[in-house]
Amino acid sequence: MEHYVTLFDSLFLPQGLALHASMTRHVKDCMLWILCVDDTTHDVLSDLGLSRVRLLRLAELETTDLLRVKPGRSKGEYCWTLTPFAPRFVFEADASIERVTYIDADIWFRKDPEPIFREFDGSRRQVLITEHAYSPEQDHSATSGQYCVQLMVFTRHGGEIVRKWWEEKCIEWCFARFEDGRFGDQKYLDDWPLRFPAEVHVLGNKELLLAPWNATRFPFSSAVVWHFHAFRINLRQSNIYAEFGPYPLPKLTRLHVYSEYVKDIAHAIELLKSRGFVVKSQITVRLLDRAMRIAKKLAYNFRYSGYAHREKIT
């Protein structure tokens, strides 16, 4: 059985449920561990009783180091700080687990991820990381990093030297700004192939895991996993919209990837509403206006949403 771990708070419950739905369809013999960043997330997911899910309550697991740095970091920065701890918490919860795959909450499986693990197993390494593989016009590797935290595999024993080093670095510094060659939890990965050459494998087949920043570089059909970075739920005048972000997306990608994801998001929202949970907007007016200005410059209509062109979620 492959064990996965993700983390999110109640604001991102729709994405978390969409992730789970995609795993139910495509990922065989797996367990999804969810590190619930707030108690509301734990309570809602407990009530839903999702299959092949185990919940971890953050409040019961926070270390002395985490509690020490927490007051000085934003919610997003603290979640980044938690990322290297997530596999550790799973290993500590179940001594029989030999490897854990960390995945962001806005990851979505389109196919069985077996090709990813087949390549990793063939490498005989202990840690798997993936490149951003930016399209040339979207290349932010200098500030955001060559590698993306989106999906990472750690083995219990051989991978611990890498995970522990990362954990210590994130406790030391993890902020949403580029400073002294660092950015959040992510720029730390840049030198891993050189720092940990015997442990780290970089996924060679870049097309297996795609995202909006390389949607114009690779065909969507190659993707086993899609990373919905910048996807946000926006509430306006009692209507719910899917905001796709300021990246140029090919028409076929919008139709066959984003529209399908929105269906899972819509189902998740209805499920949450049936349990009395109030879905909140994930995007502020200031952030939305900024994104729309960028989108206008790129001549890209980022307000495409719903099951077909320009449809609302609800």
Side-chain angles (χ1 to χ4, degrees), residues 90-103:
V90 175
F91 286 136
E92 290 175 348
D94 189 334
S96 70
I97 297 173
E98 289 299 321
R99 72 180 180 190
V100 173
T101 300
Y102 168 81
I103 47 178

Side-chain angles (χ1 to χ4, degrees), residues 6-10 34-42 56-59 62 70 75 78-79 82:
T6 190
L7 62 94
F8 53 87
D9 65 8
S10 55
I34 300 175
L35 179 59
C36 302
V37 176
D38 55 29
D39 288 339
T40 299
T41 301
H42 190 277
L56 298 168
R57 192 190 294 269
L58 176 60
E62 285 172 299
K70 186 176 183 177
K75 181 187 295 185
Y78 189 58
C79 285
L82 289 171

Side-chain angles (χ1 to χ4, degrees), residues 134-191:
Y134 291 109
S135 298
E137 70 276 12
Q138 299 291 342
D139 190 353
H140 301 293
S141 53
T143 52
S144 295
Q146 181 176 351
Y147 305 104
C148 187
V149 170
Q150 58 193 353
L151 184 150
M152 307 172 71
V153 184
F154 293 90
T155 62
R156 173 182 287 273
H157 301 293
E160 183 61 11
I161 185 175
V162 182
R163 191 207 61 77
K164 181 63 175 174
W165 179 90
W166 189 31
E167 174 186 306
E168 292 172 352
K169 288 297 182 181
C170 287
I171 285 293
E172 177 185 316
W173 190 98
C174 189
F175 296 96
R177 60 179 182 267
F178 179 71
E179 180 179 299
D180 297 329
R182 301 172 294 187
F183 178 78
D185 57 346
Q186 195 157 261
K187 280 286 285 180
Y188 291 123
L189 279 59
D190 274 8
D191 72 349

Side-chain angles (χ1 to χ4, degrees), residues 253-267:
T253 300
R254 299 198 306 267
L255 180 61
H256 295 290
V257 179
Y258 278 74
S259 285
E260 293 303 309
Y261 183 63
V262 167
K263 291 178 184 178
D264 275 353
I265 291 291
H267 177 75

Side-chain angles (χ1 to χ4, degrees), residues 14 233 240 264-274 279 313-314:
I233 293 168
I240 303 177
D264 275 353
I265 291 291
H267 177 75
I269 290 173
E270 291 305 314
L271 182 61
L272 291 168
K273 288 167 65 177
S274 74
V279 177
I313 293 179
T314 63

Side-chain angles (χ1 to χ4, degrees), residues 119 128-129 131 201-208:
E119 180 182 318
L128 175 71
I129 60 176
E131 293 188 65
H201 174 70
V202 179
L203 186 68
N205 190 341
K206 299 177 178 63
E207 296 185 32
L208 293 179

Side-chain angles (χ1 to χ4, degrees), residues 9-292:
D9 65 8
S10 55
L11 189 65
F12 274 76
L13 271 166
Q15 281 93 332
L17 291 175
L19 164 62
H20 177 262
S22 74
M23 296 182 75
T24 300
R25 286 192 295 269
H26 299 297
V27 187
K28 301 174 183 177
D29 196 22
C30 71
M31 182 65 68
L32 176 62
W33 295 71
I34 300 175
L35 179 59
C36 302
V37 176
D38 55 29
D39 288 339
T40 299
T41 301
H42 190 277
D43 294 344
V44 170
L45 294 177
S46 295
D47 180 54
L48 290 174
L50 303 174
S51 63
R52 298 191 295 177
V53 165
R54 291 188 64 176
L55 304 178
L56 298 168
R57 192 190 294 269
L58 176 60
E60 298 174 353
L61 298 171
E62 285 172 299
T63 66
T64 301
D65 284 337
L66 283 171
L67 292 172
R68 174 173 55 83
V69 302
K70 186 176 183 177
R73 300 186 182 179
S74 68
K75 181 187 295 185
E77 290 168 343
Y78 189 58
C79 285
W80 288 349
T81 306
L82 289 171
T83 307
F85 285 85
R88 167 184 166 177
F89 292 154
V90 175
F91 286 136
E92 290 175 348
D94 189 334
S96 70
I97 297 173
E98 289 299 321
R99 72 180 180 190
V100 173
T101 300
Y102 168 81
I103 47 178
D104 280 345
D106 53 1
I107 285 292
W108 190 66
F109 290 87
R110 298 187 64 249
K111 304 174 186 176
D112 188 332
E114 187 273 337
I116 296 174
F117 290 103
R118 184 171 65 244
E119 180 182 318
F120 179 51
D121 289 339
S123 75
R124 299 184 180 276
R125 303 294 174 86
Q126 307 300 320
V127 175
L128 175 71
I129 60 176
T130 61
E131 293 188 65
H132 274 106
Y134 291 109
S135 298
E137 70 276 12
Q138 299 291 342
D139 190 353
H140 301 293
S141 53
T143 52
S144 295
Q146 181 176 351
Y147 305 104
C148 187
V149 170
Q150 58 193 353
L151 184 150
M152 307 172 71
V153 184
F154 293 90
T155 62
R156 173 182 287 273
H157 301 293
E160 183 61 11
I161 185 175
V162 182
R163 191 207 61 77
K164 181 63 175 174
W165 179 90
W166 189 31
E167 174 186 306
E168 292 172 352
K169 288 297 182 181
C170 287
I171 285 293
E172 177 185 316
W173 190 98
C174 189
F175 296 96
R177 60 179 182 267
F178 179 71
E179 180 179 299
D180 297 329
R182 301 172 294 187
F183 178 78
D185 57 346
Q186 195 157 261
K187 280 286 285 180
Y188 291 123
L189 279 59
D190 274 8
D191 72 349
W192 281 13
L194 295 177
R195 184 182 294 274
F196 305 107
E199 288 82 20
V200 173
H201 174 70
V202 179
L203 186 68
N205 190 341
K206 299 177 178 63
E207 296 185 32
L208 293 179
L209 205 165
L210 299 182
W213 53 72
N214 52 35
T216 59
R217 179 180 178 186
F218 302 110
F220 78 87
S221 57
S222 300
V224 168
V225 178
W226 195 276
H227 184 180
F228 283 89
H229 173 76
F231 179 99
R232 293 293 183 268
I233 293 168
N234 182 30
L235 276 63
R236 282 190 166 192
Q237 298 178 346
S238 301
N239 295 317
I240 303 177
Y241 295 88
E243 306 288 359
F244 289 177
Y247 295 93
L249 298 172
K251 181 178 180 180
L252 288 178
T253 300
R254 299 198 306 267
L255 180 61
H256 295 290
V257 179
Y258 278 74
S259 285
E260 293 303 309
Y261 183 63
V262 167
K263 291 178 184 178
D264 275 353
I265 291 291
H267 177 75
I269 290 173
E270 291 305 314
L271 182 61
L272 291 168
K273 288 167 65 177
S274 74
R275 294 298 201 279
F277 179 81
V278 178
V279 177
K280 298 180 181 179
S281 184
Q282 298 172 346
I283 191 165
T284 64
V285 173
R286 184 175 64 178
L287 181 60
L288 178 62
D289 288 345
R290 176 176 178 272
M292 290 181 72

